[in-house]
Amino acid sequence: MAETEDCVGQEPHPVDEDLFQEPMKKRRRSDRDQRFRAFPTVEQSALREYEKLESRTRRVLSNTYQKLLQSVFLDDSIPNGIKYLINRLLALIEKPPLDPIYIGLFGSTGAGKSSLINAIIQQAMFLPVSGESICTSCIVQVRSGCCEQYEAKIHLLSDQEWKEELKNLAKLLHRTEELGREEEDAWNKDEALEEAIWKLQMLYGHGAEKKSYEELLRAKPKGRIPPSRVITLKAEEAEELSVKLDSYIRTQRRGWDGGPAEAQVWPLIKLVEVTLPKSELIPEGVVLVDIPGTGDFNSKRDEMWRKTIDKCSVIWVISDIERVSGGRAHEDLLNESIKACQRGFCRDVALVVTKTDKLHLPEYLRERKVGNPAIQSQREAVLERNETIKLQRNKILKEKLKRKLPADSKVLELSELVYTVSAQEYWQQAVLAEEETEIPKLREHIRRRLLDEKRRMVTKYVAEAFGLLLLTDSFNGPDHLPNEHLHMSGLRRFVEERIQLLEKAIDQCFAHIARPLQVGVRNARSSYRRILGACLVRSRGNQGFHQTLKAVCLKNGIYASRTLARIDLNEAITQPIYDQIDPIFGGIFRPGKPTDGSALMPHIDAFKHSLQEKMTEIGIRNGWKYDSCKKNFLIQEISAILGGLEEHILRKKRRIYESLTTSVQNDLKPCYEEAAQITGKKACERMKDVIRRGVDQQVAEGMFERAQERMQHQLQQLKNGITEKVKGSISTMLTLASSQGDGLYKELADVKSEYKEMEKLHRSLREVAENAVLRRGMQDFLLRMSPSKAGPPQTWT
């Protein structure tokens, strides 16, 4: 998925033929109402108010847009101010009602991710489930929409992406020398080798593993591959689509022979998108993402794996009740999720413990402490054990988050970081009641997240629209005051001064990371040999590790397997640096308002408020009381310009955070390439020696110091980008608001009625927000007062 650069702060786009296109059609009312079926009545009322507010705002913008078009349609040239307005209006009209909220279910093999999604969407066997074995073989996204049918889109690797993987698979299988018996045994037991054979046989048939790369390029795949590289499936019923989809997303067994033709393209699949018809349980706008735990050997799939994690605003780490108390895989998942808070959009991490109905009562009673109240049933034991796990894991997770994140991170304020769920009991209710399975609690979490996001988006949208209507109306306002250019000139000087202060503040903010970086580099230099040695050692020696290590080298230090823990040598040897900088880095990019000057966004907010206060002061002192629209426009537009910087900064921080491992990976690339070429006897040990020598040489030549410099350079680039965007945007805004420049303005169609309507909508924001708070308080009160279920229906006993 290609990332798009944020356009905040760019000059107005030139007006071309696309300028006169019609805005997107409004949703039918019935469609809007269907979107709220997943919410309780009280929350539906709040959403309808926000939806109505947004819809009316879009209508006002559309009417204003049409009037502007009519006023300039026959003109040979369009003034710059009108170009700016038309482009901004069209961008707001076409803006999506809500960016998707991605909720990532991140877990190891057999943790129960698919079962959990099935329970949340109320479709028992929709995604494939199968005990302890790997079922879901790729990233699967599930959302609800306004479609009438169930639909799935299976996205395949492009021809070029598959050729890249095919070349690496062929290299893994290539042997140029005869091996001894011991080495032959090690070769045959190698996990990477087995997976390479498996993929080639699946796609090209038995014997494909013996062919060269050139021969494989000429071979014809057994399955049908559409030219679009997208396979679309549709069905009237969930069960029908599930049957069609199963072969595409279920991991096929090794040693597989025959089976459906759909399964034969399985190695090419990189993403599956499933859309459900209007759901009464999952609101439109929410995307549940089943994320495999370790990434993928294919570079494109592995990149998509990482980016999918990073775009999730909520991550649930899924862990089986029997594995939650330890194990490297569980810790790796937690660490990767916390890193997503550092480099991505994630603001909410929770541990979801699955299969919590599992409990052997006699064993539990024997280990239970004497003196506690007597346990009367299996249900009481399960609930007591679940509550104990919640308390224990909540404390452990919060401590782990505290070590990695800033002290004022919102996730640390959450009272509940752990959920104990049972998908099986959700369906059977033999032991637990539906509420006690905590599936409804997860749904409530999803709904509240979307409601909060909708409230934030509509508030920002209405305020930005109001600013544009202020400017549009001011174009037809009274003549500008004779000395207005003096006011604007003074304002420009003030802006330049404040930008210089902003640059200094950002420098001071980024300076907080310099010392931890230096300490981290020293720690990395002193510990890299130990860390590297641990990465290159396996409990069985080199047995089964030969081609896995070669795969690591072919992928420049990274190997992602479907069954083994992820190997990333670059990340491992830079971890001592991250251990030092993580809390500081998270602090720089947090949205809070700390007083120590270490966070970036508060400096931008302070810059915004100083400009707005100055504009108000100048307006009062110099007569803008006769042209209040101009003052209000400037204040609102500054909020829009600087508010848009946050997303731009969030997109850049991922590259900055990963710059350490990227720098190390680039420096070590020659030694990885050299090691990947080694074949024959003792190849595994020789590869290790090449890697060790290569890392030693690069460290001696300043590898970690270069990584430090590159991170600091990227922080400097971010600062320059921020100030350039601010300068360009505010300069354009002041030019538009000024009377200087011939031909900047022309008489436009009257938009007084639209302005008055927009002013009314802007005032109603506070009332809508207050109503939503009152409704939520009423809902919480009613929930507290309602009797809870004491247990499952008696018919199941």
Side-chain angles (χ1 to χ4, degrees):
M1 295 182 181
E3 282 191 11
T4 55
E5 287 297 317
D6 195 341
C7 296
V8 173
Q10 294 182 353
E11 296 295 319
H13 300 292
V15 178
D16 53 27
E17 62 271 11
D18 292 334
L19 177 65
F20 299 98
Q21 63 178 295
E22 290 291 326
M24 67 179 181
K25 295 179 181 178
K26 293 180 287 186
R27 285 180 182 269
R28 291 177 301 174
R29 182 167 297 168
S30 60
D31 288 341
R32 291 202 302 269
D33 292 341
Q34 292 289 346
R35 296 177 63 203
F36 307 142
R37 297 200 307 174
F39 292 86
T41 304
V42 172
E43 292 177 358
Q44 284 188 25
S45 299
L47 276 168
R48 285 197 180 96
E49 286 190 355
Y50 281 112
E51 192 87 354
K52 183 179 178 182
L53 195 56
E54 179 195 341
S55 177
R56 290 172 63 186
T57 300
R58 288 186 190 277
R59 186 175 67 244
V60 171
L61 291 173
S62 185
N63 291 341
T64 307
Y65 175 85
Q66 295 295 337
K67 284 187 175 182
L68 287 183
L69 288 186
Q70 292 170 8
S71 68
V72 300
F73 188 74
L74 298 177
D75 289 4
D76 293 330
S77 62
I78 302 175
N80 289 335
I82 311 305
K83 290 181 185 179
Y84 180 87
L85 274 179
I86 290 175
N87 280 310
R88 290 278 275 115
L89 282 168
L90 184 59
L92 267 183
I93 293 167
E94 297 289 359
K95 189 174 183 179
L98 186 69
D99 290 331
I101 297 174
Y102 290 91
I103 298 179
L105 285 79
F106 191 36
S108 300
T109 300
K113 303 185 296 297
S114 299
S115 297
L116 183 55
I117 290 179
N118 289 342
I120 291 173
I121 67 175
Q122 194 76 18
Q123 299 290 345
M125 297 297 290
F126 188 72
L127 297 180
V129 295
S130 180
E132 299 297 314
S133 64
I134 311 172
C135 261
T136 310
S137 61
C138 58
I139 294 172
V140 180
Q141 299 182 354
V142 180
R143 71 183 78 202
S144 67
C146 288
C147 54
E148 298 298 325
Q149 292 181 304
Y150 290 85
E151 180 177 299
K153 289 188 176 181
I154 297 108
H155 299 266
L156 307 180
L157 294 170
S158 70
D159 187 54
Q160 189 59 42
E161 289 163 357
W162 172 244
K163 284 180 179 178
E164 178 199 337
E165 179 169 1
L166 191 60
K167 183 182 291 185
N168 286 326
L169 293 174
K171 286 179 180 178
L172 281 179
L173 295 169
H174 180 60
R175 291 192 294 184
T176 58
E177 300 176 27
E178 290 297 320
L179 302 178
R181 181 172 179 178
E182 185 178 337
E183 290 173 319
E184 182 76 27
D185 289 342
W187 173 286
N188 292 331
K189 294 177 182 177
D190 193 284
E191 198 273 345
L193 184 73
E194 289 180 4
E195 186 158 333
I197 295 172
W198 184 26
K199 287 183 178 180
L200 294 182
Q201 289 181 348
M202 179 75 68
L203 196 58
Y204 299 108
H206 287 286
E209 71 278 10
K210 299 175 183 177
K211 296 180 179 179
S212 67
Y213 171 63
E214 290 73 20
E215 289 173 325
L216 289 170
L217 285 178
R218 295 191 294 269
K220 185 178 179 180
K222 294 166 62 178
R224 190 183 69 84
I225 302 173
S228 65
R229 316 294 283 200
V230 177
I231 299 170
T232 302
L233 307 175
K234 293 185 179 181
E236 295 293 331
E237 301 294 334
E239 288 184 12
E240 183 185 355
L241 182 69
S242 180
V243 171
K244 292 181 178 180
L245 191 58
D246 190 273
S247 297
Y248 290 103
I249 63 176
R250 183 186 291 273
T251 297
Q252 303 302 319
R253 296 187 306 274
R254 302 191 184 190
W256 165 95
D257 190 13
E262 294 87 353
Q264 294 164 358
V265 300
W266 171 81
L268 299 178
I269 297 173
K270 63 179 177 181
L271 171 68
V272 175
E273 293 180 304
V274 179
T275 304
L276 312 175
K278 307 174 187 71
S279 171
E280 295 186 0
L281 297 170
I282 299 301
E284 184 181 347
V286 170
V287 185
L288 300 174
V289 191
D290 187 337
I291 308 175
T294 60
D296 196 274
F297 180 63
N298 177 271
S299 298
K300 191 64 179 180
R301 276 195 293 249
D302 198 58
E303 178 187 8
M304 181 176 289
W305 174 80
R306 180 63 62 85
K307 286 186 176 180
T308 299
I309 295 171
D310 288 349
K311 74 180 179 183
C312 292
S313 55
V314 178
I315 292 180
W316 293 341
V317 179
I318 313 299
S319 186
D320 184 334
I321 185 74
E322 295 176 348
R323 304 181 190 179
V324 72
S325 296
R328 179 185 167 186
H330 175 71
E331 288 301 310
D332 287 347
L333 292 169
L334 280 177
N335 290 333
E336 190 66 38
S337 302
I338 294 172
K339 284 181 180 178
C341 293
Q342 300 283 18
R343 63 175 186 250
F345 290 86
C346 183
R347 291 289 180 270
D348 186 347
V349 174
L351 173 63
V352 179
V353 184
T354 58
K355 308 178 186 180
T356 56
D357 57 288
K358 289 183 178 180
L359 183 140
H360 186 246
L361 186 57
E363 183 179 332
Y364 178 75
L365 293 175
R366 186 176 67 248
E367 295 178 352
R368 192 167 172 264
K369 291 183 179 179
V370 179
N372 287 341
I375 291 292
Q376 303 295 327
S377 66
Q378 179 86 5
R379 171 180 170 271
E380 289 182 359
V382 168
L383 292 177
E384 182 185 73
R385 189 274 317 272
N386 289 355
E387 187 61 29
T388 300
I389 285 178
K390 273 190 174 185
L391 293 172
Q392 292 173 346
R393 303 313 299 183
N394 194 80
K395 182 179 180 181
I396 292 170
L397 180 55
K398 185 160 285 191
E399 288 299 319
K400 194 175 188 70
L401 290 169
K402 283 180 179 178
R403 290 195 299 270
K404 294 290 185 178
L405 301 178
D408 59 353
S409 296
K410 288 187 177 180
V411 68
L412 294 175
E413 298 173 5
L414 299 176
S415 58
E416 239 177 344
L417 291 173
V418 180
Y419 298 88
T420 51
V421 305
S422 172
Q424 179 170 312
E425 277 299 298
Y426 175 77
W427 300 111
Q428 297 179 355
Q429 296 184 32
V431 176
L432 301 176
E434 180 178 305
E435 287 81 5
E436 292 166 343
T437 68
E438 299 203 352
I439 299 296
K441 186 180 287 188
L442 292 178
R443 289 187 188 136
E444 181 187 1
H445 184 88
I446 291 171
R447 291 195 304 268
R448 289 211 170 185
R449 185 74 187 214
L450 185 135
L451 186 58
D452 290 343
E453 194 63 24
K454 185 68 176 180
R455 181 186 301 115
R456 186 193 65 80
M457 190 283 296
V458 171
T459 301
K460 182 178 178 181
Y461 188 79
V462 173
E464 193 170 349
F466 182 50
L468 281 180
L469 264 294
L470 285 168
L471 177 61
T472 307
D473 185 60
S474 72
F475 276 11
N476 287 332
D479 292 338
H480 298 282
L481 298 174
N483 63 338
E484 185 172 344
H485 68 281
L486 297 175
H487 307 158
M488 287 297 177
S489 176
L491 189 54
R492 287 181 189 277
R493 287 195 299 272
F494 178 80
V495 169
E496 290 172 0
E497 292 170 0
R498 298 306 300 182
I499 288 176
Q500 291 176 0
L501 292 175
L502 176 62
E503 288 180 325
K504 291 180 181 178
I506 295 175
D507 282 335
Q508 292 171 359
C509 169
F510 290 165
H512 283 81
I513 206 169
R515 177 63 180 168
L517 265 175
Q518 292 173 354
V519 174
V521 165
R522 284 202 303 269
N523 293 347
R525 288 183 65 91
S526 63
S527 61
Y528 78 89
R529 284 195 179 99
R530 173 181 53 80
I531 295 171
L532 186 63
C535 292
L536 296 178
V537 171
R538 290 294 177 264
S539 58
R540 294 175 297 169
N542 292 336
Q543 189 177 20
F545 191 52
H546 184 166
Q547 294 304 93
T548 298
L549 184 56
K550 186 167 188 175
V552 170
C553 296
L554 285 170
K555 306 304 293 184
N556 293 322
I558 301 172
Y559 176 64
S561 160
R562 298 178 190 278
T563 55
L564 299 178
R566 183 180 177 89
I567 300 172
D568 190 334
L569 301 183
N570 313 299
E571 190 174 276
I573 61 178
T574 52
Q575 189 57 48
I577 308 179
Y578 284 112
D579 289 341
Q580 291 295 319
I581 70 167
D582 272 350
I584 309 299
F585 189 92
I588 289 174
F589 293 98
R590 68 183 178 272
K593 296 182 179 296
T595 57
D596 60 358
S598 63
L600 179 58
M601 288 311 300
H603 290 304
I604 294 174
D605 288 339
F607 173 75
K608 176 183 72 175
H609 293 314
S610 69
L611 261 61
Q612 291 173 335
E613 289 171 2
K614 188 66 174 179
M615 287 170 186
T616 302
E617 175 193 326
I618 292 177
I620 293 172
R621 190 173 67 237
N622 296 300
W624 277 7
K625 62 184 178 181
Y626 302 112
D627 194 3
S628 61
C629 286
K630 182 187 301 297
K631 178 195 72 177
N632 291 335
F633 158 71
L634 291 171
I635 290 174
Q636 291 291 339
E637 194 69 354
I638 283 174
S639 292
I641 290 169
L642 298 180
L645 277 175
E646 183 172 5
E647 186 176 348
H648 168 76
I649 290 168
L650 287 174
R651 291 188 182 281
K652 293 294 184 184
K653 80 167 185 176
R654 178 177 184 263
R655 183 178 298 176
I656 296 171
Y657 187 77
E658 293 180 342
S659 62
L660 295 174
T661 52
T662 302
S663 176
V664 166
Q665 185 180 48
N666 290 336
D667 285 352
L668 294 178
K669 189 174 181 180
C671 86
Y672 290 140
E673 291 175 346
E674 181 184 348
Q677 301 301 317
I678 296 174
T679 60
K681 295 181 179 181
K682 303 294 183 182
C684 193
E685 281 304 321
R686 286 155 55 205
M687 281 192 285
K688 291 179 181 180
D689 288 343
V690 167
I691 293 171
R692 291 188 188 101
R693 288 198 305 271
V695 175
D696 282 341
Q697 180 181 345
Q698 289 298 324
V699 170
E701 294 175 359
M703 179 177 72
F704 293 125
E705 288 78 9
R706 286 192 297 273
Q708 174 187 348
E709 291 170 3
R710 285 165 183 161
M711 175 174 274
Q712 290 176 318
H713 176 68
Q714 292 208 9
L715 287 169
Q716 184 67 30
Q717 284 185 318
L718 175 60
K719 184 198 79 170
N720 295 339
I722 291 171
T723 54
E724 286 171 10
K725 286 176 182 293
V726 169
K727 286 177 184 177
S729 298
I730 294 182
S731 175
T732 300
M733 179 194 69
L734 293 178
T735 300
L736 292 173
S738 170
S739 60
Q740 302 300 305
D742 294 334
L744 183 62
Y745 300 109
K746 63 162 287 169
E747 187 173 350
L748 298 176
D750 184 17
V751 292
K752 286 288 183 188
S753 61
E754 285 78 12
Y755 167 69
K756 288 181 179 179
E757 174 70 9
M758 197 65 244
E759 189 176 35
K760 189 188 302 181
L761 292 172
H762 190 253
R763 283 200 305 267
S764 68
L765 269 176
R766 180 188 295 273
E767 181 182 346
V768 172
E770 289 173 350
N771 289 342
V773 171
L774 288 173
R775 287 194 186 98
R776 176 173 287 189
M778 184 183 299
Q779 181 184 24
D780 291 343
F781 173 76
L782 292 174
L783 286 173
R784 288 196 302 270
M785 297 301 293
S786 63
S788 60
K789 293 186 180 180
Q794 292 302 309
T795 54
W796 288 97
T797 58

